[in-house]
Amino acid sequence: MSSRGVIVIGGGLTGALAALALARDGYRVDLYERRGDIREAKLVHGRSINLAISVRGLTGLHRVGLRERALEMAVPMRGRRMHSRDQSQSFQPYSANPEENIHSISRGGLNQLLIEQADREEQVNLHFHRRCTGVDPDAATATFIDDRTDETFQATADLVIGADGANSAVRQALMCDDQFDFDESYLSHGYMELFIPAADNGGFRLDKNALHIWPRRSFMMIALPNDDGSFTGTCFWPLEGEYCFADLQDADQVRSFFQQWFPDVLELVPDLEQQYLAANPSTLVTIRCKPWVVGKTVLIGDAAHAIVPFYGQGMNAGFEDVRILCEELKKQPDDQAAALCSYERLRIENGNAIADLALSNFHEMRDHVASPIFLLGKKLSNLLQVVLPGWYRPLYSMVSFSNTPYTEAVEIARRQQKIIRLSMTLLIVSIVAAVIAIWRMS
């Protein structure tokens, strides 16, 4: 195995984990990243939507011995804390099981940890400021430009892994094949981050063990905790039309809008107007493509299945890609083509499934989480989880607190709902029949 080489293109979270995991499995790995070394970068607020890591992501990290290190960096979130316009709050636990939490973690901090660990492996060579300009998928050859010297060079290995994100150069190279299916759709909403500093004493200004949501039907704001007492707030507003980002052009308009819709946020962000006016909204994209494997080249993470962030599964799904790819390569060490085929078969429909779930959860978080009917449904779901632990499992729990394939989780949830609806119908019919029988007897 040690004679086999892998080129990983993209040094973000998924690419860094792939490099580390494959090195631990005995491969020689060269990782190429178009940006500089993240360990030398300064933290920049505004474009990094905080990450929620859950069981799938933690399982991927466990495989390389970093699960506990990641949890030490993270803040557990036990549920959603809802903020109403009148500044009242309510709490919705994620699960009836208090041990089932998701964790807020720094994207940059976790990326640095993975790069540091990869750099310690003798089998890994890191190359920064190298921009991929082309890939020959059958020859496993990639072409790069050194952005500091403008030098062009090629690298060849036994396998090329495209982990270079939603704007993947590797995927672009694979799209030259006329059998390649590609779909790119943008959400009508964009996002803009607002940094909520820690309190003067270094503590948290909000409940630190919750994901905070300000749902306002056609738009919303969320906030996730950081381990230093701060929060990363994110506004998800329309890019055009009513309540869009462009409506607020000066400090007075910003303050007036937040006073109307998010009055408690004014107290949380002392420099709100300056932050808002200095930022630009970013877009949210869903990418689906097929195939993920061409020749000796394979896509993972956002390069294969970019999704919107509303189920907190983007990184988790990418880490699951890495784990399953490594497992398939290990199961079939002498037949790489068969291993890649198995990986694609196991992952491609699951990538589509979590994309659908993420879009659905956007509407849930924005429109429904504050409605009485939705809250009643959540309470019923948690009750069923307690009284029927061997049978009932909420969809959210299967997605966030297990490694159940996304497609299987969706199917289980559908079967459960079908049985519940049938049972409720039979119960109602039985009650009505009993009432009629009693009435006739009287």
Side-chain angles (χ1 to χ4, degrees):
M1 181 78 75
S2 62
S3 63
R4 300 179 66 185
V6 179
I7 293 171
V8 177
I9 300 174
L13 291 164
T14 304
L17 178 63
L20 177 59
L22 288 165
R24 297 277 177 87
D25 286 349
Y27 289 85
R28 291 178 293 103
V29 182
D30 282 277
L31 183 148
Y32 294 88
E33 166 58 44
R34 65 179 177 82
R35 297 165 297 188
D37 190 337
I38 193 171
R39 293 170 292 181
E40 301 171 0
K42 294 181 180 179
L43 177 63
V44 178
H45 300 296
R47 297 186 63 85
S48 63
I49 300 179
N50 252 35
L51 299 172
I53 192 167
S54 52
V55 166
R56 295 171 201 272
L58 292 171
T59 302
L61 291 173
H62 176 73
R63 193 175 187 276
V64 295
L66 293 179
R67 181 181 185 276
E68 297 307 316
R69 290 280 301 277
L71 288 175
E72 290 171 4
M73 300 164 53
V75 180
M77 298 184 293
R78 302 188 175 96
R80 299 164 169 168
R81 185 162 292 280
M82 318 304 300
H83 296 252
S84 300
R85 287 181 65 184
D86 63 5
Q87 301 191 48
S88 63
Q89 299 181 18
S90 60
F91 183 73
Q92 301 173 12
Y94 284 127
S95 171
N97 182 351
E99 299 301 316
E100 291 183 333
N101 306 314
I102 61 176
H103 298 79
S104 176
I105 193 167
S106 161
R107 176 191 296 272
L110 182 56
N111 204 166
Q112 287 185 32
L113 173 64
L114 290 168
I115 288 291
E116 286 172 0
Q117 294 300 311
D119 200 15
R120 293 177 181 175
E121 297 290 324
E122 289 186 10
Q123 299 279 83
V124 177
N125 291 308
L126 303 177
H127 311 271
F128 298 103
H129 301 286
R130 267 53 168 204
R131 176 165 49 90
C132 179
T133 58
V135 173
D136 182 335
D138 295 314
T141 297
T143 304
F144 300 91
I145 291 179
D146 186 328
D147 281 339
R148 295 167 300 182
T149 65
D150 288 331
E151 175 190 0
T152 299
F153 63 96
Q154 286 189 332
T156 300
D158 298 286
L159 175 65
V160 173
I161 298 177
D164 49 342
N167 298 313
S168 170
V170 179
R171 187 184 65 241
Q172 188 67 37
L174 302 188
M175 288 171 64
C176 294
D177 188 332
D178 60 6
Q179 298 298 310
F180 194 93
D181 293 329
F182 175 75
D183 179 75
E184 178 181 62
S185 59
Y186 286 87
L187 207 60
S188 60
H189 288 56
Y191 74 91
M192 177 188 292
E193 287 192 356
L194 296 173
F195 179 68
I196 301 173
D200 292 339
N201 62 1
F204 292 84
R205 294 173 181 263
L206 298 166
D207 176 3
K208 72 174 183 178
N209 296 124
L211 186 155
H212 295 263
I213 307 180
W214 290 258
R216 300 298 184 261
R217 296 199 64 81
S218 63
F219 59 103
M220 68 175 176
M221 178 175 168
I222 69 170
L224 277 73
N226 300 308
D227 62 358
D228 63 358
S230 67
F231 283 78
T232 301
T234 310
C235 300
F236 295 99
W237 299 356
L239 293 169
E240 296 179 349
E242 191 175 20
Y243 306 123
C244 71
F245 289 104
D247 282 349
L248 310 184
Q249 297 292 325
D250 58 44
D252 289 340
Q253 290 178 339
V254 173
R255 175 162 286 275
S256 175
F257 185 85
F258 275 82
Q259 184 65 59
Q260 178 182 3
W261 293 103
F262 310 104
D264 48 345
V265 174
L266 288 170
E267 302 173 7
L268 300 172
V269 187
D271 59 343
L272 173 66
E273 297 92 331
Q274 295 93 320
Q275 283 197 46
Y276 185 95
L277 295 172
N280 290 309
S282 300
T283 56
L284 294 162
V285 67
T286 298
I287 290 175
R288 306 171 197 259
C289 66
K290 185 178 181 180
W292 290 6
V293 175
V294 177
K296 300 176 182 177
T297 300
V298 58
L299 300 175
I300 61 174
D302 284 357
H305 52 80
I307 63 175
V308 294
F310 302 107
Y311 223 114
Q313 286 294 302
M315 172 191 62
N316 291 286
F319 282 10
E320 192 169 59
D321 289 345
V322 172
R323 175 177 64 83
I324 291 176
L325 175 61
C326 289
E327 288 174 354
E328 293 307 309
L329 288 168
K330 204 164 189 176
K331 286 177 187 176
Q332 304 181 75
D334 299 321
D335 194 341
Q336 178 176 284
L340 296 181
C341 183
S342 296
Y343 159 76
E344 181 182 68
R345 177 179 53 79
L346 290 169
R347 294 303 293 159
I348 197 163
E349 290 307 318
N350 284 295
N352 290 332
I354 190 55
D356 291 336
L357 288 172
L359 289 167
S360 175
N361 216 41
F362 166 62
H363 297 289
E364 177 179 304
M365 292 173 67
R366 186 192 66 178
D367 299 338
H368 304 309
V369 288
S371 77
I373 294 176
F374 177 85
L375 294 174
L376 180 62
K378 280 292 183 183
K379 289 180 180 178
L380 176 60
S381 178
N382 286 339
L383 176 62
L384 289 173
Q385 188 177 1
V386 172
V387 300
L388 300 170
W391 177 76
Y392 183 78
R393 186 78 162 143
L395 176 60
Y396 187 90
S397 293
M398 287 187 284
V399 169
S400 298
F401 307 130
S402 81
N403 290 311
T404 304
Y406 295 120
T407 52
E408 186 178 330
V410 170
E411 185 55 36
I412 291 171
R414 285 175 179 163
R415 289 201 302 268
Q416 289 177 162
Q417 290 302 315
K418 186 176 180 179
I419 293 171
I420 290 170
R421 285 195 297 269
L422 178 60
S423 300
M424 292 299 293
T425 300
L426 293 174
L427 177 62
I428 292 170
V429 169
S430 299
I431 292 172
V432 171
V435 169
I436 292 173
I438 294 171
W439 176 74
R440 286 177 175 174
M441 289 174 61
S442 63

